[in-house]
């Protein structure tokens, strides 16, 4: 089956082409069927491929060349795919969760006039993400990388009549491009020093010449700049919260199954390189930690249901990068997987809420929704328990693993991460209590309209809720099981750094502390939401509400100066400088030319006639002179 | 024989359309379609060996009628034929005043361009260079916009000064070894290389000014936004897709082999100017509200990158330049076609007055978005392969300052995304500020754009044929 893995991106591509080319002919209901079926088909193939990778007979990565993409002199870049444990795991997540989001969208987008176009974009999005993880070299990854950037641009700005939405789309693309430049420079460094961009060839070379630490560090940092853009890390994270301008299922797709996980995938893919670049890893740890804490603190004070979730994604990505920085790549991938389940669940749940509220996203005007929407409420609660790290739920296992690694490396790091985890528990349950419990604070009309969402929306919620519970058991902690299934599976494709081991007693103790404090935070959140008074925030609260004024800072130090520079260049240098000089020369020549003006009759025909005559004369002189 | 046909075809068509004015349209369309077929045929067979013709022409002056086609000439002739065909196809259902003269002049320009890309005698090259330019002056001064006279005059002054310098340089070179073929490629290469360093350095300036104005390179670029703004669309397409390539082509074909010492002396200066140009033009493009001037500045930025790579002078960079010349030609022609349709429907070039095309003309909007992303080199569009090779080429020169150049030029990639998306936001998205009903693409317009879009995707996914062609 593995030789047919090209079908995995092919199905979404076909879905995109059918819906894209037939956007004004295909009926809306059919568009959803085409879109969802194509992803289902690639999910089935992915599953078959995954099973094959899982079997003991699978030896090393499967690489297939299709055609030459770039060839010039010694530069050779084939269009090739690589299937191994890492890409096979990502394929399942992308197509599996992608499929659920497509099904959900058939109901969510049902009343939108652009539904066919929407499904075309959605399929293209999945296609790009599949290219990203299936490529056998960095160029193919880059194709998918920029492709998801394009699709996020199209989908964030899907409701293109709204200026703020297209602003958000523009911001997402440009910020990603800043990261892409880092990726590009990284690739060029690799190409210049190792003359290949193929993973296998490159890692073979690196493993046999481990002494070029400075070069590896430079490359690793460049790649990480790319990852900062895609995976929304400081300083390139501000696009992600704005990206919720798109339809809610798109947010689920961006935040859970695709796009933001790309940065983690890239570094896990390059683990061989990063293991030899300790400075780059330290940098990643610090940036990840700062992002995790900053975003979590912002989420505490947000009142838009999607914004809370968006900052929570940024913060959780920070956790993953901390894991990467410690060299625990499989732990990061583990958190990607569990996060994909519960974050998709939470976003789709918020979509269900927004759907019922008639577009309202402000949790200050919600409350008590649980009575009318029991399925959404329960599944959302499961999502919150999972992200908060309550034992038994998926997020607990992966987050606990990150915390344990942190403690083993540096107890202070553990403390900082624990603070982040506690803030997570607080803001998630603040969100939950304000939305689903208490009494309704919206308008009469909204109250009347409240309803549970249709099956096409609640079924995906239930499936995701199920996986938000059981998804964690693929990686049991040492104290519970000697065998960490995911770790063992991925170890063929990802080279982990040597990590310190904790004693079982310490691990139990850490778990106890974090779980106990998380429960306290949930109680605090409950208490804080009972007042339900929303007075204007002051002091630190106001700073948090304004997201630490980072957007304003970027505006002041980058955008405004760039704008002034533009005006300066345009008005002063271009118009009054270069152009004025040229015009003066022009005027003086014009004065001279008044003498020759007699020759200008103004009749086109005569000009052309003279020109043609001249050409023929020249040619005939030439031929005459050869004959004579 | 093929080479002669390529020159004769548009030339004869140009003469005929003056004689039979009513058939001008059909003559232009058929002759340019034939030219596409011939250049395609030539491109497929160029691997068997370059084509050459040499015939005495003005032996007393040392001038030959000599043509030579290798991969680069072939790809640019193909581009010339293709773009001419698109231009004529686009004019198919439009009425132009004084049509016969209009078509005839365009066909003369096409002849000149073909000649420029094929000539292997420097004087013949110069002759075709002027033959390509002169019709453009007439076309813009007669069929142009309101300020056409002033703007064409500026364009004329710029290019005329450039041409004079080149002519002076050529005569100087030719006088070194007078003979029946003093201006032939081989003779000039031999002469040029025998010159002293100082001679090469000063001659370089004469030639490079002519080429720099044509490309154009900062700070010789200010004719371009004006000319693009005022000239009729067909002419603008000729100018931006083909004529600006003449400058770069001349650098690759003539300047580098003839004056190698001059080139290596000046290369750093040129690269720095080019990179200033990239950033300068990109930042100004961010400020533009006139969509035509916007495209002009974005094109200056793109040409800057190609010029910088050309002067880095390693194989990869040069190959990238050859690829990107072709790709840029297609994309910018696409841009102008779209803009001409917008201007035709809305009668404005002001971005702030436009908006909401995605609702009023959805087909056009799709085409515009795809072409715009090709223009900022999104992977799987034709812009990417060439741009990657340009960057890789600039980077792989081992010179640490080149790494800095690459990063600075790379900022152009970010600015490119910023200005392009700003333009799309203003023009394509938002709500229609103008409530008048407009028609989406006509069948003819759709055909023209479909050709452009297919080339963008096909060459973006599978650029190998072009990569192979330009490696000969």
């Amino acid at each position: 089956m593995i030789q047919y893995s090209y079908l995995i991106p092919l199905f979404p591509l076909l879905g995109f082409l059918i819906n894209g080319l037939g956007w004004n002919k295909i009926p809306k209901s059919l568009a959803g069927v085409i879109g969802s079926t194509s992803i289902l088909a690639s999910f089935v193939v992915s599953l078959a491929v995954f099973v094959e990778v899982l079997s003991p007979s699978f030896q090393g990565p499967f690489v297939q060349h299709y055609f030459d993409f770039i060839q010039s002199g010694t530069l050779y870049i084939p269009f090739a795919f690589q299937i191994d444990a890492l890409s096979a795991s990502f394929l399942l997540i992308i197509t599996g969760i992608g499929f659920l989001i497509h099904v959900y969208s058939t109901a969510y987008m049902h009343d939108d006039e652009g539904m066919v176009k929407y499904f075309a974009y959605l399929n293209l999005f999945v296609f790009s993400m599949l290219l990203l993880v299936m490529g056998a070299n960095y160029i193919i990854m880059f194709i998918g990388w920029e492709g998801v950037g394009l699709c996020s641009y199209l989908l964030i700005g899907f409701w293109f009549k709204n200026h703020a939405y297209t602003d958000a789309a523009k911001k997402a693309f440009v910020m990603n491009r800043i990261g892409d430049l880092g990726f590009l420079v990284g690739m060029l460094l690799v190409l210049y020093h190792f003359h290949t961009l193929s993973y296998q060839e490159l890692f073979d070379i690196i493993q046999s010449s481990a002494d070029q630490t400075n070069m590896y560090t430079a490359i690793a940092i460049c790649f990480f700049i790319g990852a900062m853009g895609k995976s929304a890390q400081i300083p390139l994270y501000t696009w992600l919260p704005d990206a919720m301008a798109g339809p809610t299922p798109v947010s689920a797709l961006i935040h859970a199954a695709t796009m933001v996980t790309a940065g983690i995938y890239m570094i896990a893919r390059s683990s061989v390189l990063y293991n030899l670049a300790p400075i780059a890893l330290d940098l990643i740890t610090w940036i990840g930690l700062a992002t995790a804490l900053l975003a979590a603190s912002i989420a505490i004070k947000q009142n838009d249901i999607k914004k809370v979730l968006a900052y929570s994604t940024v913060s959780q990505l920070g956790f993953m990068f901390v894991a990467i920085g410690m060299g625990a790549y499989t732990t990061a991938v583990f958190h990607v997987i569990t996060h994909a389940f519960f974050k998709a669940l939470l976003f789709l749940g918020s979509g269900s809420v927004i759907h019922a509220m008639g577009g309202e996203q402000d949790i200050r005007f919600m409350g008590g929704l649980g009575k009318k929407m029991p399925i959404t409420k329960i599944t959302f609660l499961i999502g919150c328990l999972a992200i908060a790290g309550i034992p038994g739920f998926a997020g607990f296992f992966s987050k606990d693993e990150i915390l344990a690694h942190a403690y083993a490396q540096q107890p202070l790091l553990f403390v900082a991460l624990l603070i982040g985890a506690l803030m997570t528990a607080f803001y998630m349950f603040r969100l939950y209590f304000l939305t689903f419990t208490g009494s309704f604070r919206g308008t009469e009309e909204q109250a009347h309209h409240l309803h549970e969402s249709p099956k096409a929306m609640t079924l995906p919620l239930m499936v995701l809720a199920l996986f938000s519970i059981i998804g964690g058991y693929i990686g049991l902690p040492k104290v519970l099981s000697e065998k960490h299934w995911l770790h063992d599976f991925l170890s063929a494709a990802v080279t982990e750094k040597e990590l310190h081991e904790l004693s079982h007693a310490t691990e139990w103790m850490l778990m106890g502390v974090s779980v106990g404090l998380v429960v306290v935070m949930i109680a605090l959140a409950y208490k804080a939401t009972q007042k339900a008074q929303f007075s204007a925030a002051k002091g630190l609260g106001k700073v948090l509400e304004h997201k630490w004024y980072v957007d304003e800072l970027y505006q002041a130090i980058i955008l405004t100066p760039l704008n002034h520079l533009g005006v300066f260049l345009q008005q002063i240098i271009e118009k009054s400088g270069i152009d004025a000089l040229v015009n003066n020369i022009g005027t003086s020549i014009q004065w001279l030319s008044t003498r020759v003006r007699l020759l200008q009759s103004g009749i086109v025909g005569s000009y052309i006639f003279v020109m043609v005559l001249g050409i023929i004369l020249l040619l005939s002189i030439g031929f005459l002179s050869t004959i004579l | 024989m093929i080479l002669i046909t390529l020159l004769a075809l548009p030339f004869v068509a140009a003469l005929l359309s003056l004689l039979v004015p009513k058939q001008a349209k059909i003559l232009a369309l058929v002759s340019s379609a034939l030219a596409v077929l011939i250049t395609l045929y030539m491109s497929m067979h160029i691997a068997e060996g370059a084509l050459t013709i040499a015939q005495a022409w003005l032996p007393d002056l040392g001038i030959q009628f000599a043509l030579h086609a290798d991969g680069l000439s072939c790809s640019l002739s193909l581009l010339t034929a293709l773009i001419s065909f698109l231009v004529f196809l686009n004019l198919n259902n439009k009425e132009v005043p004084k049509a016969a003269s209009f078509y005839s002049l365009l066909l003369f320009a096409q002849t000149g361009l073909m000649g420029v890309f094929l000539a292997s005698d420097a004087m013949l090259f110069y002759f075709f260079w002027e033959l390509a330019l002169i019709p453009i002056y007439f076309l813009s001064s007669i069929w142009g916009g309101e300020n056409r006279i002033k703007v064409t005059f500026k364009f004329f002054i710029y290019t005329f000064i450039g041409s004079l310098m080149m002519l002076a340089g050529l005569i100087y070179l030719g006088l070194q070894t007078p003979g029946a073929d003093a201006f032939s490629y081989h003779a000039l290469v031999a002469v040029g290389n025998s010159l002293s360093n100082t001679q090469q350095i000063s001659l370089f300036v004469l030639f490079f000014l002519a080429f720099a104005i044509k490309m154009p390179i900062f700070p010789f670029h200010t004719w371009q936004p004006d000319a693009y703004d005022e000239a009729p669309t067909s002419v603008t397409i000729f100018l931006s897709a083909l004529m600006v390539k003449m400058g770069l082509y001349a650098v690759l074909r003539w300047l580098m082999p003839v004056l190698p010492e001059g080139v290596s002396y000046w290369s750093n200066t040129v690269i720095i100017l080019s990179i200033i140009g990239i950033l300068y033009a990109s930042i100004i493009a961010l400020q533009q509200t006139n969509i035509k001037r916007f495209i002009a500045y974005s094109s200056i930025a793109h040409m800057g990158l190609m010029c910088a790579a050309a002067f880095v002078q390693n194989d990869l960079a040069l190959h990238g330049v050859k690829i990107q010349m072709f790709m840029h030609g297609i994309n910018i022609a696409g841009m102008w076609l779209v803009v001409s349709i917008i201007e035709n429907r809305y009668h404005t070039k002001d971005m702030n007055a436009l908006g909401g095309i995605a609702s009023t003309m959805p087909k056009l909007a799709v085409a515009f978005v795809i072409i715009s992303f090709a223009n900022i080199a999104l992977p799987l569009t034709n812009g990417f392969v060439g741009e990657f090779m340009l960057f890789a080429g600039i980077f792989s020169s081992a010179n640490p300052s080149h790494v800095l150049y690459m990063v600075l030029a790379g900022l152009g990639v970010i600015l490119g995304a910023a200005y392009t998306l700003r333009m799309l936001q203003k023009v394509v998205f938002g709500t229609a500020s103008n409530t008048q009903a407009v028609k989406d693409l006509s069948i003819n317009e759709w055909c023209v754009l479909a050709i452009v879009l297919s080339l963008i995707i096909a060459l973006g996914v599978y650029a190998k044929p072009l990569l192979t062609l330009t490696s000969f």
Side-chain angles (χ1 to χ4, degrees):
Chain A
M1 197 60 211
I2 203 161
Q3 65 272 28
Y4 296 113
S5 46
Y6 64 85
L7 290 173
I8 300 172
L10 192 65
F11 286 124
L13 180 65
L14 286 176
F16 160 70
L17 289 175
I18 295 171
N19 275 334
L21 294 174
W23 59 277
N24 52 358
K25 296 176 198 76
I26 292 175
K28 284 205 288 188
S29 49
L30 188 62
V33 174
I34 294 170
S36 312
T37 318
S38 68
I39 306 295
L40 180 64
S42 43
F43 175 67
V44 172
V45 181
S46 303
L47 203 58
V49 167
F50 184 79
V51 170
E52 204 164 320
V53 173
L54 206 52
S55 77
S57 61
F58 180 76
Q59 291 298 327
F62 168 83
V63 176
Q64 179 78 54
H65 287 215
Y66 296 100
F67 58 87
D68 302 342
F69 186 59
I70 300 179
Q71 189 172 20
S72 169
T74 54
L75 172 67
Y76 173 62
I77 294 161
F79 195 97
F81 287 159
Q82 170 169 341
I83 303 288
D84 58 10
L86 185 63
S87 46
S89 315
F90 270 84
L91 288 180
L92 271 192
I93 296 292
I94 296 163
T95 54
I97 296 183
F99 171 65
L100 294 174
I101 293 171
H102 276 69
V103 172
Y104 180 96
S105 297
T106 56
Y108 190 85
M109 295 299 285
H110 195 262
D111 300 325
D112 198 286
E113 52 178 334
M115 189 170 163
V116 187
K117 193 175 70 174
Y118 171 84
F119 274 101
Y121 291 168
L122 222 51
N123 277 3
L124 187 64
F125 206 141
V126 174
F127 165 74
S128 306
M129 193 64 199
L130 291 170
L131 277 192
L132 195 158
V133 297
M134 289 178 76
N137 59 55
Y138 284 107
I139 286 284
I140 308 299
M141 186 197 274
F142 191 72
I143 295 175
W145 190 271
E146 289 252 294
V148 291
L150 168 73
C151 296
S152 65
Y153 168 76
L154 294 171
L155 283 164
I156 294 167
F158 184 73
W159 288 310
F160 57 81
K161 289 177 185 164
N162 185 318
H163 191 77
Y165 292 180
T166 51
D167 265 346
K170 193 170 70 175
K171 183 172 174 183
F173 193 84
V174 174
M175 259 198 177
N176 269 291
R177 271 250 157 159
I178 298 175
D180 294 353
L181 180 61
F183 191 172
L184 185 66
V185 174
M187 282 198 291
L188 297 181
L189 278 171
V190 169
L191 200 58
Y192 177 61
H193 287 275
F194 306 107
H195 309 288
T196 179
L197 283 172
S198 124
Y199 302 143
Q200 280 188 299
E201 288 171 22
L202 175 67
F203 300 148
D204 284 350
I205 300 174
I206 289 182
Q207 271 164 333
S208 62
S209 58
D211 51 344
Q212 303 187 41
T213 311
N214 288 341
M215 181 46 56
Y216 297 144
T217 305
I219 296 171
I221 289 178
C222 284
F223 281 166
F224 177 55
I225 293 174
M228 279 176 185
K230 272 289 160 292
S231 297
Q233 296 297 291
I234 291 174
L236 300 179
Y237 71 96
T238 60
W239 66 271
L240 189 61
D242 288 11
M244 51 158 225
T248 306
V250 172
S251 310
L253 197 61
I254 292 178
H255 289 250
T258 63
M259 187 113 178
V260 296
T261 60
I264 311 286
Y265 170 79
M266 172 209 245
I267 297 180
R269 176 53 84 201
S270 320
S271 57
V272 175
L273 171 74
Y274 278 84
N275 285 336
L276 296 173
I279 297 175
L281 286 180
D282 284 347
L283 179 75
I284 294 175
T285 310
W286 288 114
I287 299 238
L289 181 64
T291 310
L293 294 179
L294 181 92
S297 71
I298 295 173
I300 291 174
K301 274 289 175 185
Q302 299 304 310
N303 292 319
D304 184 313
I305 184 167
K306 284 172 78 178
K307 235 175 191 151
V308 177
L309 294 175
Y311 278 103
S312 123
T313 305
V314 177
S315 168
Q316 294 297 311
L317 287 164
F319 276 89
M320 297 172 205
F321 277 103
V322 172
I324 284 196
M326 297 185 294
Y329 309 103
T330 54
T331 307
V333 174
F334 186 23
H335 201 53
V336 165
I337 294 171
T338 59
H339 178 259
F341 293 132
F342 60 69
K343 191 47 68 66
L345 169 62
L346 290 168
F347 258 110
L348 294 184
S350 79
S352 177
V353 168
I354 295 164
H355 195 65
M357 293 287 295
E360 178 63 69
Q361 298 185 191
D362 194 326
I363 47 176
R364 285 173 296 187
F365 304 114
M366 297 179 184
L369 297 187
K371 282 162 237 144
K372 294 281 179 61
M373 316 177 66
I375 301 177
T376 307
K377 174 188 169 170
I378 290 170
T379 53
F380 202 91
L381 178 61
I382 292 171
C384 290
L385 292 169
I387 193 174
I390 297 296
F393 294 89
F396 166 75
F397 297 100
S398 52
K399 192 184 277 182
D400 177 70
E401 205 173 301
I402 299 176
L403 290 175
H405 283 311
Y407 188 83
Q409 194 159 60
Q410 166 62 262
L412 274 178
L413 187 60
F414 167 80
V415 174
L417 282 179
L418 183 62
I419 294 173
L422 296 181
M423 286 197 273
T424 309
F426 180 84
Y427 66 69
M428 282 313 300
F429 276 88
R430 169 179 174 266
L431 177 66
Y432 173 77
F433 290 131
L434 281 179
T435 309
F436 292 100
T437 64
S439 53
F440 189 66
R441 296 179 297 274
T443 61
E444 276 295 306
E445 198 191 330
Q446 282 171 329
H448 187 68
H449 181 70
L450 283 179
H451 59 85
E452 182 58 281
S453 298
K455 283 253 158 44
M457 285 165 71
T458 50
L459 274 175
L461 289 180
M462 291 188 265
V463 176
L464 287 168
L466 178 68
F467 279 98
S468 298
I469 301 171
I470 63 169
Y473 295 89
I474 55 172
L476 291 175
K478 286 259 157 39
V479 289
L480 297 178
S481 153
E482 267 312 301
K483 207 171 134 49
H484 190 294
W485 180 83
L486 185 73
H487 185 278
D488 296 346
F489 175 61
L490 288 177
S491 59
V494 178
T495 323
E496 291 244 283
K497 262 179 97 164
E498 288 290 322
L499 295 164
H500 302 286
E501 293 276 331
L502 289 179
S503 72
H504 284 191
T506 321
E507 216 175 324
W508 279 118
M509 187 269 293
L510 295 179
M511 262 187 226
V513 168
S514 62
V515 171
L517 288 173
V518 160
V519 173
V520 172
M521 288 319 276
I522 296 175
L524 279 178
Y526 180 74
K527 203 160 167 262
T529 51
Q530 290 315 297
K531 288 180 290 178
Q533 285 168 349
F534 303 100
S535 50
K538 284 189 283 288
L540 182 63
K542 195 174 170 197
V543 175
L544 293 181
E545 206 171 272
H546 286 89
K547 309 153 203 157
W548 293 97
Y549 297 97
V550 174
D551 276 319
E552 287 80 355
L553 179 73
Y554 287 175
Q555 178 74 38
I557 62 169
I558 297 169
L559 297 177
T560 311
L562 189 63
N563 212 4
H564 287 318
L565 180 64
V567 174
F568 172 75
L569 292 182
Q570 157 88 345
Q571 298 299 334
I572 309 296
I573 305 286
E574 184 88 346
K575 277 206 179 127
S576 317
I578 304 173
D579 229 16
L581 189 71
V582 175
N583 285 338
N584 284 335
I585 298 173
T587 333
S588 29
I589 295 178
Q590 204 155 26
W591 178 80
L592 283 174
S593 71
T594 43
R595 323 262 155 132
V596 218
R597 184 159 279 176
L598 294 174
L599 291 175
Q600 291 182 318
S601 57
I603 301 161
V604 199
S606 68
Y607 288 143
I608 302 180
F609 180 70
V610 173
M611 194 175 90
V612 172
L613 209 64
I615 298 170
I616 293 176
L617 205 67
L618 262 173
L619 287 174
S620 42
I621 292 175
F623 284 113
L624 278 177
S625 58
T626 26
I627 296 164
L628 294 176
Chain B
M1 202 53 218
I2 287 184
L3 301 179
I4 297 283
T5 321
L6 276 180
L7 292 175
L9 204 60
F11 186 72
V12 172
L15 291 181
L16 282 179
S17 43
L18 288 176
L19 295 175
V20 213
K22 284 198 178 133
Q23 304 301 325
K25 189 180 270 187
I26 203 82
L27 274 167
L29 200 57
V30 171
S31 73
S32 59
L34 280 175
V36 173
L37 294 179
I38 295 172
T39 44
L40 266 180
Y41 175 83
M42 187 165 91
S43 306
M44 283 187 276
H45 291 271
I46 201 76
E48 296 153 20
L51 299 168
T52 306
I53 293 177
Q55 172 84 47
W57 183 27
L58 301 170
D60 300 341
L61 298 174
I63 303 172
Q64 275 190 317
F65 188 87
L67 304 174
H68 178 86
D70 60 359
L72 175 61
S73 299
C74 230
S75 74
L76 289 172
S77 317
L78 178 61
L79 182 69
T80 305
L82 207 58
I83 297 293
S84 310
F85 176 69
L86 285 175
V87 164
F88 293 128
L89 188 63
N90 182 50
L91 287 169
N92 189 31
N93 60 351
K94 295 186 177 60
E95 287 310 318
V96 189
K98 299 181 233 167
S101 314
F102 186 78
Y103 281 101
S104 167
L105 284 168
L106 279 178
L107 286 163
F108 278 126
Q110 188 191 341
T111 317
L113 280 159
M114 284 282 186
V116 164
F117 296 137
L118 295 173
S120 69
D121 181 283
M123 272 300 166
L124 189 66
F125 169 82
Y126 179 78
F127 165 75
F128 282 124
W129 178 282
E130 293 300 325
L131 178 63
L133 281 174
I134 292 165
I136 299 295
Y137 299 139
F138 289 124
L139 283 163
S140 3
S141 63
I142 297 163
W143 286 271
E146 277 168 30
N147 295 320
R148 59 182 187 271
I149 300 296
K150 194 170 156 252
V151 165
T152 311
F153 186 69
K154 185 164 162 185
F155 172 55
F156 176 76
I157 295 291
Y158 255 114
T159 46
F160 187 68
I161 291 176
S163 297
L164 274 185
M165 302 240 180
M166 172 162 59
L167 186 62
L170 278 178
I171 292 173
Y172 180 85
L173 278 176
L175 288 179
Q176 302 293 312
T177 49
D181 58 352
F183 290 102
S184 79
Y185 179 76
H186 296 290
L188 278 193
V189 171
V191 171
N193 282 280
S194 71
L195 294 177
S196 71
N197 256 0
T198 3
Q199 282 172 308
Q200 289 204 25
I201 289 166
S202 24
L203 271 177
F204 176 94
V205 176
L206 288 181
F207 285 104
F208 184 70
L209 273 179
F211 307 148
I213 289 171
K214 210 82 234 46
M215 277 188 257
I217 289 302
F218 175 87
F220 310 107
H221 64 278
T222 59
W223 63 270
Q224 199 185 49
D226 287 341
Y228 286 8
D229 194 12
E230 292 294 332
T233 305
S234 310
V235 178
T236 314
I237 294 177
F238 261 72
L239 268 173
S240 59
L242 302 171
M243 299 234 160
V244 300
K245 308 299 181 312
M246 288 178 10
L248 204 47
Y249 171 83
V251 167
L252 298 183
R253 172 68 74 217
W254 297 98
L255 198 53
M256 291 187 168
V258 175
L259 300 172
E261 297 297 324
V263 169
S264 62
Y265 178 84
W266 287 105
S267 64
N268 249 335
T269 315
V270 174
I271 294 171
I272 290 170
L273 279 182
S274 306
I275 286 174
I276 293 177
I278 296 174
L279 299 176
Y280 178 86
S282 302
I283 292 172
I284 290 187
L286 265 172
Q287 295 294 324
Q288 289 304 313
T289 50
N290 176 326
I291 191 165
K292 291 187 155 183
R293 302 183 77 86
F294 163 82
I295 298 176
Y297 282 106
S298 124
S299 175
I300 294 170
H302 285 116
M303 292 306 291
L305 181 60
M306 288 181 236
C307 185
F311 277 86
V312 169
Q313 275 196 299
N314 63 52
D315 291 344
L316 187 55
L318 290 176
H319 199 184
V321 173
K322 294 174 188 171
I323 297 290
Q324 201 64 345
M325 280 160 89
F326 192 90
M327 305 300 198
H328 177 260
I330 291 170
N331 294 343
I332 197 151
M335 283 292 236
W336 290 119
L337 289 167
V338 168
V339 168
S340 76
I341 295 168
I342 293 175
E343 205 185 352
N344 169 280
R345 303 291 200 280
Y346 287 96
H347 310 288
T348 177
K349 320 175 260 204
D350 182 2
M351 288 184 203
N352 291 327
L354 290 162
I357 284 173
S359 344
T360 52
M361 304 172 74
K363 286 183 197 163
L364 180 76
V366 171
F368 200 11
V369 170
I370 294 176
I371 295 169
S372 298
F373 275 97
N375 206 34
I376 55 172
L378 194 83
L380 297 189
T381 67
N382 64 349
F384 175 68
V385 176
E387 192 169 290
F388 180 77
M389 288 167 72
L390 292 180
F391 281 129
I394 295 177
F395 203 88
S396 66
S397 59
N399 183 337
S401 61
H402 287 178
V403 177
L404 178 68
Y405 296 155
M406 187 269 139
V407 174
L408 286 175
L411 291 179
V413 173
I414 299 170
L415 291 169
Y419 64 65
T420 302
L421 299 191
R422 169 182 171 272
M423 182 276 292
L424 287 179
Q425 185 182 28
K426 282 183 184 290
V427 176
V428 176
F429 304 120
T431 46
S433 50
N434 202 326
T435 46
Q436 61 179 316
V438 288
K439 277 207 188 85
D440 207 343
L441 299 180
S442 69
I443 293 176
N444 196 69
E445 287 164 341
W446 185 230
C447 284
V448 181
L449 284 177
I451 295 175
V452 173
L453 297 182
S454 333
L455 285 170
I456 284 177
I457 303 295
L459 289 172
V461 177
Y462 194 62
K464 204 182 177 195
L466 191 65
L467 284 163
T468 317
L469 175 62
T470 45
S471 64
F472 291 119

